[in-house]
Amino acid sequence: MYKEILAYCKDHKVDLIVVSKLRSLQEVKAIYDLGHRKFGENRVQDLLQKHNNLPQDIEWHLIGTLQSNKVKYIAPFIQLIHSIDDLAVWYEVHRQATKMGRSIPCLLQIKIARETTKNGFEWHDLLNVLDQGIWKSYVNAPIYGLMGMATFTEDLNVVKSEFDRLKGYFDQLQVKYFKDDTFDTLSMGMSSDYKLAISAGSTMIRVGSSVFEPTSKIV
């Protein structure tokens, strides 16, 4: 399925992040050998293990919840953090990036799903944070866009409404708070709903199971 999904992304000018969560080094290397370089991990520990044992030209994305005390471990190499959902974590990314002499692009994660297990800023809480303005000093943790996860359901009307809502949030923030050209990434869509996400305006999808299964069809 990898080639099919990649072709679909290219046709729609969307970035594909291959989610390597729970996948072996050999499975990830098989996708790498096809030319793919952008991979995402949920947990810092797994991310470090893969980063240390796979080719160093891989662009690693952190797509899961990030704790402040774990930022320092990924600061030297992380390409994009999708899951900024707390002002303290955002500041710590800036602090560690400053120590490393680099900039670490980030996405703000917004809660759009119904499940209580899904993380992210509540919309009104995020507006309060942005209105306070302290984040403007976090120059080494610039915000490049938004990330969100839809409700896990077979009701596509629910999923579509959540994606549409996140796209609406993206447009509002782009106009009011982030007026430069770097605020251009909308990370939404996974294996079960990426086509729906792309139709709603996604610029980056995070797909794991559909890429790796069935393994016999990867090549």
Side-chain angles (χ1 to χ4, degrees):
M1 289 291 289
Y2 167 73
K3 291 183 178 180
E4 177 183 327
I5 296 170
L6 182 63
Y8 192 87
C9 288
K10 287 183 176 179
D11 287 344
H12 292 82
K13 297 180 173 59
V14 169
D15 275 339
L16 169 62
I17 308 304
V18 172
V19 178
S20 52
K21 170 187 175 184
L22 303 179
R23 300 293 169 175
S24 67
L25 297 176
Q26 292 75 17
E27 287 176 297
V28 178
K29 185 62 163 54
I31 301 297
Y32 173 92
D33 288 342
L34 294 177
H36 200 80
R37 295 295 181 269
K38 297 180 180 182
F39 293 86
E41 277 288 335
N42 281 54
R43 298 174 65 242
V44 168
Q45 182 177 351
D46 297 333
L47 174 58
L48 292 172
Q49 193 262 347
K50 289 189 172 77
H51 172 261
N52 292 335
N53 290 281
L54 287 165
Q56 293 301 293
D57 61 337
I58 289 178
E59 298 180 12
W60 288 107
H61 292 230
L62 194 282
I63 61 177
T65 301
L66 179 61
Q67 297 175 327
S68 294
N69 63 350
K70 299 290 181 65
V71 174
K72 61 186 176 183
Y73 299 113
I74 63 173
F77 65 86
I78 198 70
Q79 184 74 19
L80 180 65
I81 296 173
H82 291 230
S83 49
I84 298 296
D85 61 359
D86 179 85
L87 188 62
V89 174
W90 190 354
Y91 167 73
E92 185 62 15
V93 173
H94 161 71
R95 192 175 77 88
Q96 293 296 334
T98 302
K99 288 174 63 175
M100 297 300 303
R102 65 183 299 244
S103 177
I104 300 176
C106 301
L107 305 179
L108 298 172
Q109 182 176 356
I110 298 182
K111 182 175 173 58
I112 56 172
R114 297 177 178 181
E115 296 107 323
T116 57
T117 55
K118 298 283 177 64
N119 296 320
F121 280 108
E122 295 288 349
W123 174 240
H124 293 294
D125 291 340
L126 175 59
L127 292 182
N128 288 335
V129 167
L130 295 177
D131 283 339
Q132 290 171 13
I134 190 172
W135 59 274
K136 293 179 181 179
S137 66
Y138 303 167
V139 294
N140 288 328
I143 298 301
Y144 278 24
L146 303 181
M147 185 270 266
M149 292 182 286
T151 300
F152 184 70
T153 175
E154 294 182 357
D155 188 341
L156 296 183
N157 290 323
V158 170
V159 176
K160 182 180 185 305
S161 69
E162 291 171 350
F163 285 152
D164 287 342
R165 181 150 44 94
L166 187 59
K167 178 59 164 65
Y169 292 158
F170 177 86
D171 292 341
Q172 290 181 57
L173 296 184
Q174 191 175 49
V175 169
K176 187 173 182 181
Y177 300 99
F178 304 101
K179 298 180 181 179
D180 58 62
D181 293 338
T182 59
F183 191 85
D184 60 3
T185 301
L186 184 53
S187 172
M188 63 182 188
M190 299 186 290
S191 289
S192 62
D193 54 26
Y194 70 87
K195 290 184 179 180
L196 195 58
I198 290 173
S199 70
S202 176
T203 67
M204 179 179 287
I205 63 171
R206 312 176 305 275
V207 177
S209 59
S210 293
V211 165
F212 289 99
E213 298 171 0
T215 304
S216 61
K217 294 185 179 180
I218 288 179
V219 297

